[in-house]
Amino acid sequence: MPTTKPKILITGCAGFIGFHLCNRILLDNKYFVYGIDSMNSYYDKKLKYDRLKLLKKNYKNFIFTKLDISNFQSLKKNFSKQKYAIVINLAAQAGVRFSIKNPNEYFKSNILGFYNILELSRLNNI
């Protein structure tokens, strides 16, 4: 869809904040939004899929890709293909109790994933 507004990447687009940012702020204002989310099962997957279904149904200016930000090569391909102008990273593993039992999951998403977003933003002059 041709647009004069910049392409915006929202990571964690199926989460509470990501969904509402996409839905009421960006898409309602006709921005072209690319959403990515790993769709992990920490929160109810049905809720996440229902949110994505609403975004896809209500907006032609929304594209979703299931992608884990800790996978550098997949993320790099996505960045190269889409040529984003703006990146908003809302992807993160939540939950303090879960983090104590599963610290590697938190490192992978919240540290490595965030680093990948920063590095690809730097490499792509975003």
Side-chain angles (χ1 to χ4, degrees):
M1 168 184 242
T3 182
T4 57
K5 293 195 177 185
K7 284 185 181 180
I8 301 174
L9 171 64
I10 305 295
T11 69
C13 67
F16 180 81
I17 296 171
F19 168 75
H20 288 286
L21 175 64
C22 289
N23 191 34
R24 293 291 177 201
I25 298 171
L26 298 175
L27 293 169
D28 274 356
N29 286 298
K30 310 297 184 222
Y31 285 94
F32 204 84
V33 176
Y34 290 77
I36 62 174
D37 202 294
S38 69
M39 303 304 287
N40 69 32
S41 58
Y42 185 80
Y43 290 116
D44 182 16
K45 273 189 168 184
K46 182 184 180 323
L47 176 61
K48 291 180 180 184
Y49 281 108
D50 287 347
R51 288 173 178 159
L52 291 175
K53 189 176 176 183
L54 281 171
L55 292 174
K56 289 178 188 177
K57 177 184 170 194
N58 294 334
Y59 300 100
K60 299 286 187 238
N61 50 327
F62 177 76
I63 293 176
F64 172 74
T65 302
K66 182 178 177 186
L67 193 119
D68 185 335
I69 63 170
S70 69
N71 184 328
F72 185 82
Q73 290 306 317
S74 294
L75 195 59
K76 182 179 177 182
K77 286 179 189 174
N78 182 275
F79 269 66
S80 294
K81 181 181 177 186
Q82 300 305 338
K83 309 285 187 224
Y84 302 115
I86 298 169
V87 174
I88 300 172
N89 181 38
L90 299 173
Q93 180 62 55
V96 174
R97 288 186 189 113
F98 188 75
S99 72
I100 294 167
K101 294 180 181 178
N102 302 282
N104 290 337
E105 289 301 310
Y106 286 78
F107 174 81
K108 191 173 122 183
S109 176
N110 300 1
I111 305 299
L112 178 59
F114 183 54
Y115 169 80
N116 290 343
I117 294 288
L118 291 175
E119 181 63 4
L120 288 167
S121 294
R122 182 186 69 82
L123 292 172
N124 289 279
N125 296 313
I126 300 170

